[in-house]
Amino acid sequence: MGKLRNNGFRTSKQVRKLVSIREGQRKRYFEEDQDLALKSLHTDHSYDVTSKKIVPDISNIVHEEVLDNDGNNLTPTDDWRIGRRVVELGVIADHLQQCKHCGLPLSLHNIIDIKTYGLGSVLKVLCTNKSCGNINAIPTGKQHDHKIWDVNTKLALAAIDLGLGEHQINGLLSILNIPTVSHCMIDSRIREVGDVIESVADQSMEESDGNDNVTVSVDAAWQRRGSGRSYDSLTGHCSMIGSKTGKVINYKWRSKACRICQRAETSGNIPRVHKCNKNFTGSAKAMEPDMVVDMVKESRSKGANITAIIGDEDTTTIARLRAKVDPTIVKLSDSNHMKKPIRNRLYELKNKHSTLSPKVISYIMKCFNYLIAQGKGQPKKIEENLHALSKHPFGDHSSCSTDWCRFIADPSIKYKSLPYGKPLQDKALQESLTTLFQKYILNSEKLANLGSTQSNESFNKSVAAKAPKNRFYGGSRSLAYRVAAAVAQKNTGHRYTVDVNVSSGLSPGLYTRKLATLRDIQARKRKAVAITTEAKLRRIALKASRNQSSSTFEVREGVCYQSNTMIDTATEDSDEKILEIPAPKNKPVENDSKPDISTMTHIYFDIEATGLGKKELIETKPSLKKRQYLILHLGPFCIENFTIFYSKNTPPLVVQHGRTSHITQISARRGLETFSKYILPAREITPKAAEVTGLTFQNGSLYLLDKIVPAVGVKEGLTGFISFLEKSTNNVIFGHNIYNYDCPVLYNALDNCSLLDDFQSKIVGFVDTLKLFKLSFPNLGSYSQCKLCDTLINLSYDAHNAEDDVNALFRLVNEKIDNFTDVQKVFQSELSVFYNYVSLKQMNKNVPSLKQMLDDKVVTKRTANCIARSGLNLSHLRLAYSRNGRTGIKDIFSEPCGSKARVTKSAKIIDSVSDFLKEL
């Protein structure tokens, strides 16, 4: 560090010291090498013998010479064109107006050298006047107090305000390609500006102090993370804040370290004369009482009438205050520190009482907080209310007060926050709650006079921002300056930086004032919004949402991080622990501005298939071989009342063909151009479908009314249909009842033939004419396509022939639909139809696993379909229950899926499923 290269600033004393250091190092390493052989003879272990040490060359460090991997010298040079500089344009412009010797204007092009001082620089500019030739020193910024650069002082203030150290400052500067600053320089400037910050902080406390500060809040914090018995920080700080003003009226800091003393002790020397930073020798836990006693004494000596202290329950501060300062001083408890233990105890009781769910705990805490707020300053009232609190959730309102209990006026109303809206029935839980609240009844005096240390916690957060816990500033006065900066910011806002500049004799500047003012305005706005009821409710809602989301993810993901995870997952059930439950798939949101259907290409479309979508009795008592054949060849259909094992009492096999039926005919029309193909199915045509369509499949051939028709394979037929669509753009497919039947059958066939992506790229969406005519022509008796044609356009045709159906639909729509507003309303995008297909596919896959739940009437068929459609099967439910019991089922059932729950939020259904899984 420092300007030591090229003997730029090296004194003769420094040169002699450097030579002495090098000679001492050479001798030390040489002597160690001589002793190495002798030592190895007496060693007990072979690994004690170390290799020959290489004497490091410290010349590069002293001269700041750095070589990269390729041997290139990265040592800074005096070339003013290299890197960037922080400059004040006005200062440079003023000094370039004329040469100091001859008065001619100067130019930056004539710079011959540059000298850098931290962020400040001096440019050596040659005068172009040949008769002059003077080299002018042009500073890049302002200076004060015997050539101290303003920019370096401002840099030190920024470092304190933003919690930066020398490493962070130089890291930032190096990335900006600005010359880095030396440790000595930044330390000197921090000491300079730090003293000013302390005076500004003291002045702000004097303005905030007053005899009206009867009650103050105190709280300490440490610069090292820890909890419980592990508090072993070397430093700490404490603040005293007036309860009325909300301003810091006193503060203290403690340090058990001094960098200068430690260095002297390490080297065995006597420390030089200095302002020692070490002001405490006890344990870290004793810092808070020591600082509070010191602050109270000091504040009273200044005339502040402090009679009451608000603090937490973690220290013996009040006892030491009464012993050393004033035995009559009053101790007020912090509300948050009084409420936290109750919540913790309730969660401990949760392990003993299953009915004490998080929802019930939240309700009890809500009641407790309300009772405390209602009984402020009235210990007797709080005592009575706490007696009532152990009875109120159980439906006993004999001890309740009309001030807060609405059940006294109307016993029939429901509990909004308890399961099923009914009072709790667990008598053992009631006894435990009575015992718990008895302890707080004895402390009703404390509960009636609670205070808050929230302002102190906010102050501690500001200190942590300026003195981060992952960096140590306690070895010097830097910590004191940073705590003082937090005090000044707490009392006066961000404009304290402006005050520090003014007190230092520096100009704050436009941008410093602007940002400080903006930050203070933003802080006031945030505070004004944060205390509103709406903001508090929103914070509660967001917290509940985050907790719910986190709980759901943990149930779905299984064990990811916990103590001894690798040991636990090495057991036999490790696969189950890491098995993930699938996440829900959100339904695509339809755009409010739907495409203009009137300007798009209309494709009229229809298919015929091997099934009609109704449940059909395949065989009353099929053989085992027949059942296995059907399972293998009929695809992922829905099976009801089915067992694969043959017995005399085997129930009939009922199959729903509709949405996974095989296509037997596909037809489409675009204007006068048509497409029609018969398809060879890969399964039998059901008797009902054959009766309606006239199509039968025998001996590998397709028959229409007992005549063979030319038919192609399903992939060839679908490829031809896609080629038909390719001839136009912005295709919208019109079909009758296609949302419920044609689309699922078509998508299933396309998916099986790996043609789904090609098809999706050729269309924009679908219009179901069944919904369209119900909207445009209400109150008709029947909306089948045949009836609509007969009623509206007096057309009779051969129904259930795909080609005739398409032609009839073409006439029906073009002659009777002239209002495209209705068409827009029933339009569905391709993404939405695809989502419905995927959901249906999941349902058909997962419903069979829920058969036992249906048989036992645990859930209705509609709920089972909803569970299966959401991607869940029985194994997923068992996983969720094994991970978090009823709460696990509740989490995955109520997980948000779009604007609705994934399955349901019904407590009745959740309990029913949980009870069923508990018995498995």
Side-chain angles (χ1 to χ4, degrees), residues 407-427:
F407 293 92
I408 296 176
D410 185 4
S412 63
I413 59 178
K414 294 184 177 180
Y415 287 84
K416 293 182 179 179
S417 302
L418 291 182
Y420 311 117
K422 297 180 180 179
L424 302 176
Q425 303 295 326
D426 191 342
K427 296 297 183 184

Side-chain angles (χ1 to χ4, degrees), residues 333-351:
S333 298
D334 175 59
S335 58
N336 287 332
H337 283 80
M338 287 294 289
K339 294 171 184 176
K340 279 183 180 179
I342 298 179
R343 184 181 294 274
N344 294 338
R345 286 288 294 119
L346 289 174
Y347 273 98
E348 291 175 8
L349 291 175
K350 177 178 176 291
N351 300 324

Side-chain angles (χ1 to χ4, degrees), residues 85-111:
R85 299 294 190 279
V86 178
V87 301
E88 294 183 61
L89 296 177
V91 174
I92 293 181
D94 291 342
H95 282 81
L96 288 177
Q97 285 183 350
Q98 60 184 10
C99 173
K100 296 179 180 179
H101 189 268
C102 68
L104 289 180
L106 301 174
S107 173
L108 286 176
H109 286 288
N110 298 317
I111 297 176

